Amino acid sequence: MYAGLAPDFGRYVIEYPFGDIYARPGLDLRTRLLTAVAALAAVGDSEVPLGNHIRYALNVGCTRDEIVETIMQTSVYAGFPRAVKGLAVAEKVLAERSGGQ
Amino acid sequence: MYAGLAPDFGRYVIEYPFGDIYARPGLDLRTRLLTAVAALAAVGDSEVPLGNHIRYALNVGCTRDEIVETIMQTSVYAGFPRAVKGLAVAEKVLAERSGGQ
Amino acid sequence: MYAGLAPDFGRYVIEYPFGDIYARPGLDLRTRLLTAVAALAAVGDSEVPLGNHIRYALNVGCTRDEIVETIMQTSVYAGFPRAVKGLAVAEKVLAERSGGQ
Amino acid sequence: MYAGLAPDFGRYVIEYPFGDIYARPGLDLRTRLLTAVAALAAVGDSEVPLGNHIRYALNVGCTRDEIVETIMQTSVYAGFPRAVKGLAVAEKVLAERSGGQ
Amino acid sequence: MYAGLAPDFGRYVIEYPFGDIYARPGLDLRTRLLTAVAALAAVGDSEVPLGNHIRYALNVGCTRDEIVETIMQTSVYAGFPRAVKGLAVAEKVLAERSGGQ
Amino acid sequence: MYAGLAPDFGRYVIEYPFGDIYARPGLDLRTRLLTAVAALAAVGDSEVPLGNHIRYALNVGCTRDEIVETIMQTSVYAGFPRAVKGLAVAEKVLAERSGGQ
């Protein structure tokens, strides 16, 4: 997306989150990704980033159950509508993965 | 708080979150609490619940670093102001705990 | 949706909101549904739940005017964009109903 | 507040919400105020306006139960932390009123 | 949209924002529109109003760079997902305009 | 704050926002700060960062009127309660400055 419109943003979106934050010790990568999924589902209006982070979480070995549980729990902290919305995103991403087998 | 005003709410706030959600398998308790901290910091306007969940997280063995990293990461997903606010809550709770030694 | 992905969530989404909260005395069902519509429109990112609650509100006898007034009022408390978004959801749901006559 | 800083805003905050919206037929005043309380509790970061609207709701005859039920219900649509926060505001306002007897 | 459903709302959405607020001195129109774009991108769930305000901003002479910079900056104050979402809206609107040449 | 708890965060909060974003051409510094004030007021739960950015805005030559107008406008995009909250922050910061004369 950013190629024409905002080429530097394509770099920022990598550099600070992944270069600085994700490279830090103190939180293992699986837990980082589950807490990221939790934050994105709670914020609620971020289907594309939430879908991407579910994919990253699967890639580093988070289980399907861990991801679903993390998003269901959003119902407590940010209300049922955001949990419903997050589960809809998870359903699509998890279907892609199963479909690929 | 709820004793006089809304006595049943005191039960609901335990029953659904802790009776139903926290009792589920699929996510270990330490990860549940870190993802809860992530969701609360992202939602942002929840100092009391965030403080309580940081205490619960410490009680089940999450490290101070894991909690701080989880909240710092909020800067990526919900902006710097919410990370700053969450870290201020963490600072108070962690100071209570250190002060008790 | 939840059948495969999160079967228990399909139960939670009924049990706490409808089993516990909606069954309570103290607020008549029409007012419960209008206040639910108000909350969903204010939260803003919940088209599917907002649409469903508009349907429930119509089913228990709320008028089309009451629903539209409730959503218009969101402009005061959560800004014009959320009122606009909520009215777009209402327009679809009300058109379905009229179309059925 | 607005006297020195933003004198016209003091007029706007009355004119559009109360002059235009609250004067409309289609929703009785008690229901308007309960839906306003619902929207303010859902938005969550509005202690002063929420407190004021609870006072207005009491003034037009809403019961203490109706107000408490409306705010408890926020737990479903915007999560438990916002319901907790709203109930804390209600508790203060309702205590003022009882104290005055 | 409002013609059938909520005809007065079509007037309110003009009167208060444009009749009252935009007519005020103290902030030139270009800056008003850039700050409106900033607020809409930060609120995040308002694709239609954000798109419209980007068009208005272009109409009063804001540059493409000013608009893109304003939205990129949302990453700092409301997180990367909202900046990403805002840039996607900007991309569509700016493409329409370029396509018209 | 971050000295003991999260020393690197003190660096991040400067580096990305000010090192990367604020250093960019395409938006003059006065407009950058007014759009930052707009975003912070719209996000709503960020008294400390909003206060700081009002101070920075004054430091680079934004007028008191420009700041007040920017925050008043939040009423349109994020509702009256956030405008009220933002004006309360502005009032404190502007009083400090006047008091210093």
Side-chain angles (χ1 to χ4, degrees):
Chain A
M1 173 173 82
Y2 314 112
L5 187 71
D8 295 338
F9 192 71
R11 181 163 57 80
Y12 296 152
V13 89
I14 299 299
E15 261 184 16
Y16 175 63
F18 295 100
D20 286 343
I21 292 291
Y22 273 72
R24 295 178 58 81
L27 198 63
D28 67 277
L29 200 54
R30 291 176 68 262
T31 309
R32 268 212 190 277
L33 279 157
L34 292 173
T35 55
V37 164
L40 286 163
V43 166
D45 58 343
S46 19
E47 294 91 316
V48 176
L50 177 57
N52 287 341
H53 282 76
I54 293 173
R55 283 182 201 96
Y56 306 154
L58 292 166
N59 290 348
V60 300
C62 297
T63 66
R64 170 194 162 108
D65 269 12
E66 286 174 323
I67 291 164
V68 170
E69 290 296 327
T70 294
I71 300 176
M72 278 177 58
Q73 189 175 280
T74 311
S75 59
V76 175
Y77 301 111
F80 280 89
R82 295 208 175 162
V84 167
K85 209 169 171 179
L87 288 172
V89 176
E91 192 170 48
K92 265 192 233 168
V93 174
L94 294 168
E96 284 165 26
R97 293 283 170 134
S98 316
Q101 297 186 311
Chain B
M1 171 173 83
Y2 313 112
L5 186 71
D8 296 338
F9 192 70
R11 181 163 57 81
Y12 296 151
V13 87
I14 300 299
E15 262 184 15
Y16 175 62
F18 295 100
D20 286 343
I21 293 291
Y22 274 72
R24 296 176 58 81
L27 199 63
D28 67 277
L29 201 55
R30 291 175 67 262
T31 310
R32 267 214 189 276
L33 279 157
L34 291 172
T35 54
V37 164
L40 286 162
V43 165
D45 58 342
S46 19
E47 294 92 316
V48 177
L50 178 56
N52 287 341
H53 282 76
I54 292 173
R55 283 182 200 95
Y56 306 153
L58 292 166
N59 290 348
V60 300
C62 297
T63 66
R64 170 194 163 106
D65 268 12
E66 285 174 323
I67 293 164
V68 170
E69 290 295 327
T70 294
I71 300 176
M72 277 176 59
Q73 191 175 282
T74 310
S75 59
V76 175
Y77 300 111
F80 281 89
R82 295 210 174 159
V84 167
K85 210 169 169 179
L87 288 171
V89 176
E91 191 170 49
K92 267 193 231 167
V93 174
L94 294 169
E96 289 165 22
R97 294 282 171 134
S98 316
Q101 298 186 311
Chain C
M1 171 174 87
Y2 314 113
L5 186 71
D8 295 337
F9 192 71
R11 182 164 56 82
Y12 296 152
V13 88
I14 299 299
E15 261 183 15
Y16 175 62
F18 295 99
D20 286 343
I21 292 292
Y22 273 73
R24 296 177 58 80
L27 199 63
D28 67 276
L29 201 54
R30 290 175 69 262
T31 310
R32 269 215 189 275
L33 279 157
L34 291 172
T35 54
V37 164
L40 286 162
V43 165
D45 58 343
S46 18
E47 294 92 315
V48 176
L50 177 56
N52 287 340
H53 282 75
I54 293 173
R55 283 181 201 96
Y56 306 153
L58 291 166
N59 290 348
V60 301
C62 297
T63 66
R64 171 195 162 106
D65 270 12
E66 286 175 322
I67 292 163
V68 169
E69 290 295 326
T70 296
I71 300 176
M72 277 176 60
Q73 191 176 278
T74 311
S75 58
V76 174
Y77 301 111
F80 280 90
R82 295 207 175 162
V84 167
K85 209 169 170 179
L87 288 172
V89 175
E91 191 169 49
K92 266 192 230 167
V93 174
L94 294 168
E96 287 165 23
R97 294 281 172 136
S98 317
Q101 297 185 308
Chain D
M1 171 173 84
Y2 314 112
L5 186 70
D8 295 337
F9 192 71
R11 182 163 57 81
Y12 296 151
V13 89
I14 298 299
E15 261 184 15
Y16 175 62
F18 295 100
D20 286 342
I21 293 291
Y22 273 72
R24 296 177 59 80
L27 199 63
D28 68 276
L29 200 54
R30 292 176 67 262
T31 309
R32 267 213 191 277
L33 278 157
L34 291 172
T35 54
V37 164
L40 286 162
V43 165
D45 58 343
S46 18
E47 294 92 314
V48 177
L50 178 57
N52 287 341
H53 282 75
I54 293 172
R55 283 181 201 95
Y56 306 152
L58 292 166
N59 290 348
V60 300
C62 297
T63 66
R64 170 194 162 108
D65 270 12
E66 286 174 321
I67 292 164
V68 170
E69 290 296 326
T70 295
I71 300 176
M72 277 176 58
Q73 190 175 280
T74 311
S75 59
V76 175
Y77 301 110
F80 281 89
R82 294 206 176 163
V84 167
K85 208 169 172 179
L87 288 172
V89 175
E91 191 169 49
K92 266 191 232 169
V93 174
L94 293 168
E96 286 165 24
R97 293 281 170 134
S98 316
Q101 297 186 310
Chain E
M1 172 173 82
Y2 314 112
L5 187 71
D8 295 337
F9 191 72
R11 180 164 57 81
Y12 297 152
V13 88
I14 299 299
E15 262 184 15
Y16 175 62
F18 296 99
D20 286 343
I21 293 290
Y22 274 73
R24 297 178 58 81
L27 199 64
D28 66 277
L29 200 55
R30 290 176 69 261
T31 310
R32 267 213 190 276
L33 279 157
L34 291 172
T35 55
V37 164
L40 286 163
V43 165
D45 58 344
S46 18
E47 294 91 317
V48 175
L50 178 56
N52 288 339
H53 282 75
I54 293 172
R55 283 181 201 95
Y56 306 152
L58 293 166
N59 291 348
V60 301
C62 297
T63 66
R64 170 194 163 105
D65 269 12
E66 285 174 323
I67 292 164
V68 170
E69 291 295 327
T70 295
I71 300 176
M72 278 177 58
Q73 191 175 280
T74 311
S75 59
V76 175
Y77 300 111
F80 280 89
R82 296 209 173 160
V84 167
K85 208 168 171 180
L87 288 172
V89 176
E91 192 170 48
K92 266 192 232 167
V93 174
L94 295 167
E96 287 164 23
R97 294 281 171 135
S98 316
Q101 297 187 312
Chain F
M1 172 173 83
Y2 313 112
L5 187 70
D8 295 338
F9 192 71
R11 180 163 57 81
Y12 296 151
V13 88
I14 299 299
E15 262 183 16
Y16 175 63
F18 295 100
D20 286 342
I21 292 291
Y22 274 73
R24 297 177 58 82
L27 199 63
D28 67 277
L29 200 56
R30 290 176 69 262
T31 310
R32 267 212 190 276
L33 278 157
L34 291 172
T35 55
V37 164
L40 286 162
V43 165
D45 58 343
S46 19
E47 295 91 316
V48 176
L50 177 58
N52 287 341
H53 282 75
I54 293 172
R55 282 181 202 96
Y56 306 152
L58 292 166
N59 290 349
V60 301
C62 297
T63 66
R64 169 196 164 106
D65 269 12
E66 285 174 323
I67 292 164
V68 170
E69 290 295 327
T70 294
I71 300 176
M72 278 177 59
Q73 190 175 280
T74 310
S75 58
V76 175
Y77 300 111
F80 281 88
R82 296 209 174 160
V84 167
K85 207 169 172 179
L87 288 172
V89 175
E91 192 170 48
K92 265 192 233 166
V93 174
L94 294 168
E96 287 165 23
R97 294 282 170 134
S98 315
Q101 297 186 311

